[in-house]
Amino acid sequence: MYTANFYWNESVIETYRDIMSGNGKGEITVQGNDVAFAIHAILMASITLSQIGIYDTFTMSMRPPSRRVYTVLFSAVIVCACYIFSTWFLHGHVDLLGFLYVLGTIKIMVTIGKYVPQALLNRSRKSTVGWNVWNVILDLTGGVLSLVQLVGDCASLGDWNGITGNPAKMALALVTICFDLIFLVQHYILYPDDKDGVSYSPLPAIASMDGK
């Protein structure tokens, strides 16, 4: 929603230009590849979630999502609802641009919440066995390229307000780079307990019904 509105919604684009430049010439740094990435992320996350429901129903029934997950989701909905109603009450209309920035902030917090448990789990186990380090390397590459693109877009437009005007992209790139570097340090320096060069542990074999 954040990326699509910044890319397609003319009302949001014009409001952004008025605020950032004051003369209607400010340019948004959201590009077509940002929209493609968002669509790709939604699609792949949906596929992964459906696979959990199909192939891992036993684990889901024994260990459903924690209360913290539900608390975060509920809090995000409450924050969004409060912002919508407050802007409508004060201004007579919903401040869509501000609402998109709220969504961007929530996305940043969710991303941090996604990385922190893994970093803490690696620390408590003193090991990184169980996940593929190449995912981290690819994630780090994406974060660096996203940051480079943002800076390059601002340089080509001659408008460095594009960085502050797209804080979600800037913050997400920095958060991604920071945590991926932490994961790489954990994997290769702090807990290099993989002696065979395998960056993940295979699933344990499940005994057959006849006990063989």
Side-chain angles (χ1 to χ4, degrees), residues 39-55:
I39 295 174
H40 168 267
I42 293 174
L43 178 62
M44 298 308 298
S46 300
I47 292 175
T48 303
L49 187 61
S50 66
Q51 288 178 326
I52 294 175
I54 294 173
Y55 304 120

mmCIF file with all atom_site columns, all heavy atoms in Angstrom, residues 39-55:
data_model
loop_
_atom_site.group_PDB
_atom_site.id
_atom_site.type_symbol
_atom_site.label_atom_id
_atom_site.label_alt_id
_atom_site.label_comp_id
_atom_site.label_asym_id
_atom_site.label_entity_id
_atom_site.label_seq_id
_atom_site.pdbx_PDB_ins_code
_atom_site.Cartn_x
_atom_site.Cartn_y
_atom_site.Cartn_z
_atom_site.occupancy
_atom_site.B_iso_or_equiv
_atom_site.pdbx_formal_charge
_atom_site.auth_seq_id
_atom_site.auth_comp_id
_atom_site.auth_asym_id
_atom_site.auth_atom_id
_atom_site.pdbx_PDB_model_num
ATOM 1   N N   . ILE A 1 39 ? 5.268  -6.307  -4.538 1.00 0.00 ? 39 ILE A N   1
ATOM 2   C CA  . ILE A 1 39 ? 4.370  -7.359  -5.023 1.00 0.00 ? 39 ILE A CA  1
ATOM 3   C C   . ILE A 1 39 ? 5.015  -8.730  -4.862 1.00 0.00 ? 39 ILE A C   1
ATOM 4   O O   . ILE A 1 39 ? 4.373  -9.704  -4.428 1.00 0.00 ? 39 ILE A O   1
ATOM 5   C CB  . ILE A 1 39 ? 4.003  -7.105  -6.497 1.00 0.00 ? 39 ILE A CB  1
ATOM 6   C CG1 . ILE A 1 39 ? 3.201  -5.806  -6.616 1.00 0.00 ? 39 ILE A CG1 1
ATOM 7   C CG2 . ILE A 1 39 ? 3.211  -8.276  -7.075 1.00 0.00 ? 39 ILE A CG2 1
ATOM 8   C CD1 . ILE A 1 39 ? 2.912  -5.393  -8.047 1.00 0.00 ? 39 ILE A CD1 1
ATOM 9   N N   . HIS A 1 40 ? 6.305  -8.817  -5.182 1.00 0.00 ? 40 HIS A N   1
ATOM 10  C CA  . HIS A 1 40 ? 7.036  -10.077 -5.024 1.00 0.00 ? 40 HIS A CA  1
ATOM 11  C C   . HIS A 1 40 ? 7.057  -10.511 -3.560 1.00 0.00 ? 40 HIS A C   1
ATOM 12  O O   . HIS A 1 40 ? 6.874  -11.705 -3.247 1.00 0.00 ? 40 HIS A O   1
ATOM 13  C CB  . HIS A 1 40 ? 8.463  -9.890  -5.549 1.00 0.00 ? 40 HIS A CB  1
ATOM 14  C CG  . HIS A 1 40 ? 9.395  -11.004 -5.194 1.00 0.00 ? 40 HIS A CG  1
ATOM 15  N ND1 . HIS A 1 40 ? 10.196 -10.968 -4.073 1.00 0.00 ? 40 HIS A ND1 1
ATOM 16  C CD2 . HIS A 1 40 ? 9.641  -12.191 -5.799 1.00 0.00 ? 40 HIS A CD2 1
ATOM 17  C CE1 . HIS A 1 40 ? 10.906 -12.073 -4.011 1.00 0.00 ? 40 HIS A CE1 1
ATOM 18  N NE2 . HIS A 1 40 ? 10.603 -12.839 -5.033 1.00 0.00 ? 40 HIS A NE2 1
ATOM 19  N N   . ALA A 1 41 ? 7.275  -9.565  -2.647 1.00 0.00 ? 41 ALA A N   1
ATOM 20  C CA  . ALA A 1 41 ? 7.330  -9.896  -1.220 1.00 0.00 ? 41 ALA A CA  1
ATOM 21  C C   . ALA A 1 41 ? 5.985  -10.421 -0.727 1.00 0.00 ? 41 ALA A C   1
ATOM 22  O O   . ALA A 1 41 ? 5.929  -11.400 0.033  1.00 0.00 ? 41 ALA A O   1
ATOM 23  C CB  . ALA A 1 41 ? 7.744  -8.665  -0.419 1.00 0.00 ? 41 ALA A CB  1
ATOM 24  N N   . ILE A 1 42 ? 4.900  -9.779  -1.146 1.00 0.00 ? 42 ILE A N   1
ATOM 25  C CA  . ILE A 1 42 ? 3.565  -10.238 -0.746 1.00 0.00 ? 42 ILE A CA  1
ATOM 26  C C   . ILE A 1 42 ? 3.300  -11.639 -1.284 1.00 0.00 ? 42 ILE A C   1
ATOM 27  O O   . ILE A 1 42 ? 2.790  -12.522 -0.558 1.00 0.00 ? 42 ILE A O   1
ATOM 28  C CB  . ILE A 1 42 ? 2.487  -9.259  -1.250 1.00 0.00 ? 42 ILE A CB  1
ATOM 29  C CG1 . ILE A 1 42 ? 2.618  -7.911  -0.530 1.00 0.00 ? 42 ILE A CG1 1
ATOM 30  C CG2 . ILE A 1 42 ? 1.085  -9.831  -1.030 1.00 0.00 ? 42 ILE A CG2 1
ATOM 31  C CD1 . ILE A 1 42 ? 1.687  -6.843  -1.074 1.00 0.00 ? 42 ILE A CD1 1
ATOM 32  N N   . LEU A 1 43 ? 3.651  -11.860 -2.543 1.00 0.00 ? 43 LEU A N   1
ATOM 33  C CA  . LEU A 1 43 ? 3.408  -13.161 -3.167 1.00 0.00 ? 43 LEU A CA  1
ATOM 34  C C   . LEU A 1 43 ? 4.184  -14.269 -2.467 1.00 0.00 ? 43 LEU A C   1
ATOM 35  O O   . LEU A 1 43 ? 3.628  -15.317 -2.105 1.00 0.00 ? 43 LEU A O   1
ATOM 36  C CB  . LEU A 1 43 ? 3.790  -13.100 -4.652 1.00 0.00 ? 43 LEU A CB  1
ATOM 37  C CG  . LEU A 1 43 ? 3.645  -14.403 -5.441 1.00 0.00 ? 43 LEU A CG  1
ATOM 38  C CD1 . LEU A 1 43 ? 2.195  -14.858 -5.457 1.00 0.00 ? 43 LEU A CD1 1
ATOM 39  C CD2 . LEU A 1 43 ? 4.163  -14.221 -6.864 1.00 0.00 ? 43 LEU A CD2 1
ATOM 40  N N   . MET A 1 44 ? 5.483  -14.059 -2.246 1.00 0.00 ? 44 MET A N   1
ATOM 41  C CA  . MET A 1 44 ? 6.310  -15.096 -1.632 1.00 0.00 ? 44 MET A CA  1
ATOM 42  C C   . MET A 1 44 ? 5.949  -15.335 -0.173 1.00 0.00 ? 44 MET A C   1
ATOM 43  O O   . MET A 1 44 ? 5.958  -16.479 0.301  1.00 0.00 ? 44 MET A O   1
ATOM 44  C CB  . MET A 1 44 ? 7.789  -14.719 -1.750 1.00 0.00 ? 44 MET A CB  1
ATOM 45  C CG  . MET A 1 44 ? 8.291  -14.599 -3.180 1.00 0.00 ? 44 MET A CG  1
ATOM 46  S SD  . MET A 1 44 ? 7.911  -16.047 -4.190 1.00 0.00 ? 44 MET A SD  1
ATOM 47  C CE  . MET A 1 44 ? 8.810  -17.325 -3.321 1.00 0.00 ? 44 MET A CE  1
ATOM 48  N N   . ALA A 1 45 ? 5.608  -14.261 0.550  1.00 0.00 ? 45 ALA A N   1
ATOM 49  C CA  . ALA A 1 45 ? 5.179  -14.432 1.942  1.00 0.00 ? 45 ALA A CA  1
ATOM 50  C C   . ALA A 1 45 ? 3.866  -15.210 2.016  1.00 0.00 ? 45 ALA A C   1
ATOM 51  O O   . ALA A 1 45 ? 3.670  -16.047 2.908  1.00 0.00 ? 45 ALA A O   1
ATOM 52  C CB  . ALA A 1 45 ? 5.030  -13.075 2.621  1.00 0.00 ? 45 ALA A CB  1
ATOM 53  N N   . SER A 1 46 ? 2.976  -14.954 1.074  1.00 0.00 ? 46 SER A N   1
ATOM 54  C CA  . SER A 1 46 ? 1.696  -15.674 1.042  1.00 0.00 ? 46 SER A CA  1
ATOM 55  C C   . SER A 1 46 ? 1.919  -17.149 0.746  1.00 0.00 ? 46 SER A C   1
ATOM 56  O O   . SER A 1 46 ? 1.281  -18.018 1.355  1.00 0.00 ? 46 SER A O   1
ATOM 57  C CB  . SER A 1 46 ? 0.765  -15.053 -0.006 1.00 0.00 ? 46 SER A CB  1
ATOM 58  O OG  . SER A 1 46 ? 0.492  -13.695 0.291  1.00 0.00 ? 46 SER A OG  1
ATOM 59  N N   . ILE A 1 47 ? 2.836  -17.446 -0.188 1.00 0.00 ? 47 ILE A N   1
ATOM 60  C CA  . ILE A 1 47 ? 3.138  -18.842 -0.511 1.00 0.00 ? 47 ILE A CA  1
ATOM 61  C C   . ILE A 1 47 ? 3.749  -19.554 0.692  1.00 0.00 ? 47 ILE A C   1
ATOM 62  O O   . ILE A 1 47 ? 3.370  -20.678 1.031  1.00 0.00 ? 47 ILE A O   1
ATOM 63  C CB  . ILE A 1 47 ? 4.086  -18.909 -1.727 1.00 0.00 ? 47 ILE A CB  1
ATOM 64  C CG1 . ILE A 1 47 ? 3.368  -18.425 -2.989 1.00 0.00 ? 47 ILE A CG1 1
ATOM 65  C CG2 . ILE A 1 47 ? 4.606  -20.334 -1.924 1.00 0.00 ? 47 ILE A CG2 1
ATOM 66  C CD1 . ILE A 1 47 ? 4.263  -18.351 -4.206 1.00 0.00 ? 47 ILE A CD1 1
ATOM 67  N N   . THR A 1 48 ? 4.698  -18.892 1.351  1.00 0.00 ? 48 THR A N   1
ATOM 68  C CA  . THR A 1 48 ? 5.330  -19.487 2.530  1.00 0.00 ? 48 THR A CA  1
ATOM 69  C C   . THR A 1 48 ? 4.315  -19.733 3.642  1.00 0.00 ? 48 THR A C   1
ATOM 70  O O   . THR A 1 48 ? 4.315  -20.790 4.288  1.00 0.00 ? 48 THR A O   1
ATOM 71  C CB  . THR A 1 48 ? 6.455  -18.578 3.046  1.00 0.00 ? 48 THR A CB  1
ATOM 72  O OG1 . THR A 1 48 ? 7.408  -18.353 2.002  1.00 0.00 ? 48 THR A OG1 1
ATOM 73  C CG2 . THR A 1 48 ? 7.156  -19.202 4.244  1.00 0.00 ? 48 THR A CG2 1
ATOM 74  N N   . LEU A 1 49 ? 3.427  -18.764 3.873  1.00 0.00 ? 49 LEU A N   1
ATOM 75  C CA  . LEU A 1 49 ? 2.413  -18.921 4.907  1.00 0.00 ? 49 LEU A CA  1
ATOM 76  C C   . LEU A 1 49 ? 1.467  -20.061 4.571  1.00 0.00 ? 49 LEU A C   1
ATOM 77  O O   . LEU A 1 49 ? 1.071  -20.837 5.457  1.00 0.00 ? 49 LEU A O   1
ATOM 78  C CB  . LEU A 1 49 ? 1.631  -17.614 5.063  1.00 0.00 ? 49 LEU A CB  1
ATOM 79  C CG  . LEU A 1 49 ? 0.628  -17.550 6.220  1.00 0.00 ? 49 LEU A CG  1
ATOM 80  C CD1 . LEU A 1 49 ? 1.359  -17.730 7.554  1.00 0.00 ? 49 LEU A CD1 1
ATOM 81  C CD2 . LEU A 1 49 ? -0.118 -16.213 6.205  1.00 0.00 ? 49 LEU A CD2 1
ATOM 82  N N   . SER A 1 50 ? 1.102  -20.186 3.302  1.00 0.00 ? 50 SER A N   1
ATOM 83  C CA  . SER A 1 50 ? 0.218  -21.285 2.908  1.00 0.00 ? 50 SER A CA  1
ATOM 84  C C   . SER A 1 50 ? 0.914  -22.632 3.076  1.00 0.00 ? 50 SER A C   1
ATOM 85  O O   . SER A 1 50 ? 0.272  -23.626 3.445  1.00 0.00 ? 50 SER A O   1
ATOM 86  C CB  . SER A 1 50 ? -0.231 -21.099 1.458  1.00 0.00 ? 50 SER A CB  1
ATOM 87  O OG  . SER A 1 50 ? 0.855  -21.208 0.565  1.00 0.00 ? 50 SER A OG  1
ATOM 88  N N   . GLN A 1 51 ? 2.220  -22.683 2.834  1.00 0.00 ? 51 GLN A N   1
ATOM 89  C CA  . GLN A 1 51 ? 2.959  -23.927 3.025  1.00 0.00 ? 51 GLN A CA  1
ATOM 90  C C   . GLN A 1 51 ? 2.984  -24.347 4.488  1.00 0.00 ? 51 GLN A C   1
ATOM 91  O O   . GLN A 1 51 ? 2.908  -25.542 4.796  1.00 0.00 ? 51 GLN A O   1
ATOM 92  C CB  . GLN A 1 51 ? 4.386  -23.772 2.498  1.00 0.00 ? 51 GLN A CB  1
ATOM 93  C CG  . GLN A 1 51 ? 4.487  -23.716 0.983  1.00 0.00 ? 51 GLN A CG  1
ATOM 94  C CD  . GLN A 1 51 ? 5.904  -23.520 0.499  1.00 0.00 ? 51 GLN A CD  1
ATOM 95  O OE1 . GLN A 1 51 ? 6.701  -22.844 1.148  1.00 0.00 ? 51 GLN A OE1 1
ATOM 96  N NE2 . GLN A 1 51 ? 6.229  -24.107 -0.643 1.00 0.00 ? 51 GLN A NE2 1
ATOM 97  N N   . ILE A 1 52 ? 3.080  -23.367 5.376  1.00 0.00 ? 52 ILE A N   1
ATOM 98  C CA  . ILE A 1 52 ? 3.024  -23.684 6.807  1.00 0.00 ? 52 ILE A CA  1
ATOM 99  C C   . ILE A 1 52 ? 1.682  -24.314 7.150  1.00 0.00 ? 52 ILE A C   1
ATOM 100 O O   . ILE A 1 52 ? 1.598  -25.304 7.882  1.00 0.00 ? 52 ILE A O   1
ATOM 101 C CB  . ILE A 1 52 ? 3.263  -22.423 7.653  1.00 0.00 ? 52 ILE A CB  1
ATOM 102 C CG1 . ILE A 1 52 ? 4.692  -21.913 7.441  1.00 0.00 ? 52 ILE A CG1 1
ATOM 103 C CG2 . ILE A 1 52 ? 3.013  -22.703 9.137  1.00 0.00 ? 52 ILE A CG2 1
ATOM 104 C CD1 . ILE A 1 52 ? 4.975  -20.599 8.140  1.00 0.00 ? 52 ILE A CD1 1
ATOM 105 N N   . GLY A 1 53 ? 0.609  -23.743 6.599  1.00 0.00 ? 53 GLY A N   1
ATOM 106 C CA  . GLY A 1 53 ? -0.716 -24.287 6.868  1.00 0.00 ? 53 GLY A CA  1
ATOM 107 C C   . GLY A 1 53 ? -0.926 -25.660 6.274  1.00 0.00 ? 53 GLY A C   1
ATOM 108 O O   . GLY A 1 53 ? -1.663 -26.485 6.834  1.00 0.00 ? 53 GLY A O   1
ATOM 109 N N   . ILE A 1 54 ? -0.250 -25.949 5.147  1.00 0.00 ? 54 ILE A N   1
ATOM 110 C CA  . ILE A 1 54 ? -0.443 -27.230 4.468  1.00 0.00 ? 54 ILE A CA  1
ATOM 111 C C   . ILE A 1 54 ? 0.452  -28.320 5.043  1.00 0.00 ? 54 ILE A C   1
ATOM 112 O O   . ILE A 1 54 ? -0.002 -29.435 5.328  1.00 0.00 ? 54 ILE A O   1
ATOM 113 C CB  . ILE A 1 54 ? -0.173 -27.073 2.961  1.00 0.00 ? 54 ILE A CB  1
ATOM 114 C CG1 . ILE A 1 54 ? -1.218 -26.153 2.333  1.00 0.00 ? 54 ILE A CG1 1
ATOM 115 C CG2 . ILE A 1 54 ? -0.195 -28.441 2.255  1.00 0.00 ? 54 ILE A CG2 1
ATOM 116 C CD1 . ILE A 1 54 ? -0.926 -25.800 0.885  1.00 0.00 ? 54 ILE A CD1 1
ATOM 117 N N   . TYR A 1 55 ? 1.745  -28.005 5.220  1.00 0.00 ? 55 TYR A N   1
ATOM 118 C CA  . TYR A 1 55 ? 2.721  -29.022 5.578  1.00 0.00 ? 55 TYR A CA  1
ATOM 119 C C   . TYR A 1 55 ? 3.093  -29.062 7.054  1.00 0.00 ? 55 TYR A C   1
ATOM 120 O O   . TYR A 1 55 ? 3.756  -29.999 7.483  1.00 0.00 ? 55 TYR A O   1
ATOM 121 C CB  . TYR A 1 55 ? 4.003  -28.815 4.762  1.00 0.00 ? 55 TYR A CB  1
ATOM 122 C CG  . TYR A 1 55 ? 3.789  -28.801 3.274  1.00 0.00 ? 55 TYR A CG  1
ATOM 123 C CD1 . TYR A 1 55 ? 4.120  -27.680 2.513  1.00 0.00 ? 55 TYR A CD1 1
ATOM 124 C CD2 . TYR A 1 55 ? 3.247  -29.898 2.618  1.00 0.00 ? 55 TYR A CD2 1
ATOM 125 C CE1 . TYR A 1 55 ? 3.923  -27.661 1.144  1.00 0.00 ? 55 TYR A CE1 1
ATOM 126 C CE2 . TYR A 1 55 ? 3.035  -29.887 1.254  1.00 0.00 ? 55 TYR A CE2 1
ATOM 127 C CZ  . TYR A 1 55 ? 3.378  -28.766 0.518  1.00 0.00 ? 55 TYR A CZ  1
ATOM 128 O OH  . TYR A 1 55 ? 3.172  -28.746 -0.833 1.00 0.00 ? 55 TYR A OH  1
#
